[in-house]
Amino acid sequence: PSPSDATLSLIEGQNIDMDSVNITDYNPSHVNYLTANYGDYVLTIQDEHLVKRFGKISDTVKIPKSVKSLKAAKKYLQREWNKNKRDNGHSLECKTYGHSKWRIGKWCRVYLPSFNIDDYMYITKAAQDDSGSDEWSCNLTLLDYPPGFGEPTKTEEDESS
């Protein structure tokens, strides 16, 4: 699933118990600006939000000689960026109203201006709670990116060899 397919949303003041919000930055000093040289081109990718929060932390990727086109070089840099992204970012833990729509593996639009979050996040944990009270709630854990993000996907060729 893609973030653009998200049908779920968590919105401050509407469906988030603000007393339950816990945000954890992990590896905030990780690379947030990546460059690579390919021929006469300098290719760059950056995460503007992380650059604003932690300052520019850059690294350079060496494009392998086996890469024979600018398009392939951009694709290679994007794959390296994706590997990098799964190693940094932040997680969000919060409580919302109970509903069967909150499921692991779903993308969710998150709008929490108090914490400067306005982005899509991936649900990694969802625990429904109906512990005898009149209120059904759900505890969620969300990450910037799904586990395994940036890892090469298996193709039929990979599986047959």
Side-chain angles (χ1 to χ4, degrees):
S2 165
S4 61
D5 298 333
T7 57
L8 305 174
S9 60
L10 289 168
I11 301 171
E12 184 174 315
Q14 289 185 15
N15 63 347
I16 300 172
D17 176 354
M18 292 305 289
D19 292 333
S20 72
V21 173
N22 183 24
I23 297 175
T24 305
D25 284 308
Y26 52 96
N27 296 329
S29 61
H30 208 68
V31 172
N32 55 30
Y33 186 91
L34 193 61
T35 62
N37 294 311
Y38 181 76
D40 295 335
Y41 297 96
V42 177
L43 309 173
T44 62
I45 299 178
Q46 70 176 340
D47 184 323
E48 293 180 27
H49 298 294
L50 290 178
V51 170
K52 284 179 189 173
R53 289 177 69 196
F54 304 110
K56 183 176 169 182
I57 303 168
S58 61
D59 194 11
T60 302
V61 171
K62 184 172 176 144
I63 303 286
K65 293 185 190 262
S66 60
V67 173
K68 301 294 182 195
S69 70
L70 179 59
K71 183 177 179 180
K74 288 179 179 179
K75 187 174 179 180
Y76 181 84
L77 181 62
Q78 184 64 53
R79 186 171 52 246
E80 292 302 307
W81 179 253
N82 292 350
K83 288 179 191 176
N84 176 62
K85 292 304 292 179
R86 71 172 178 235
D87 294 331
N88 70 16
H90 59 280
S91 67
L92 165 66
E93 295 175 3
C94 67
K95 182 187 283 189
T96 186
Y97 61 87
H99 196 285
S100 60
K101 69 182 182 179
W102 303 114
R103 292 191 189 144
I104 295 171
K106 296 282 188 183
W107 284 98
C108 180
R109 179 83 175 130
V110 179
Y111 181 66
L112 272 168
S114 297
F115 295 93
N116 201 25
I117 296 176
D118 183 10
D119 212 346
Y120 292 98
M121 295 184 80
Y122 189 82
I123 299 174
T124 59
K125 294 180 185 173
Q128 302 287 343
D129 184 14
D130 184 17
S131 58
S133 69
D134 291 341
E135 208 173 284
W136 180 22
S137 63
C138 184
N139 296 310
L140 297 173
T141 301
L142 301 96
L143 296 176
D144 293 320
Y145 302 95
F149 182 73
E151 294 175 356
T153 55
K154 288 191 175 199
T155 62
E156 288 179 27
E157 270 183 34
D158 294 335
E159 292 173 3
S160 65
S161 35

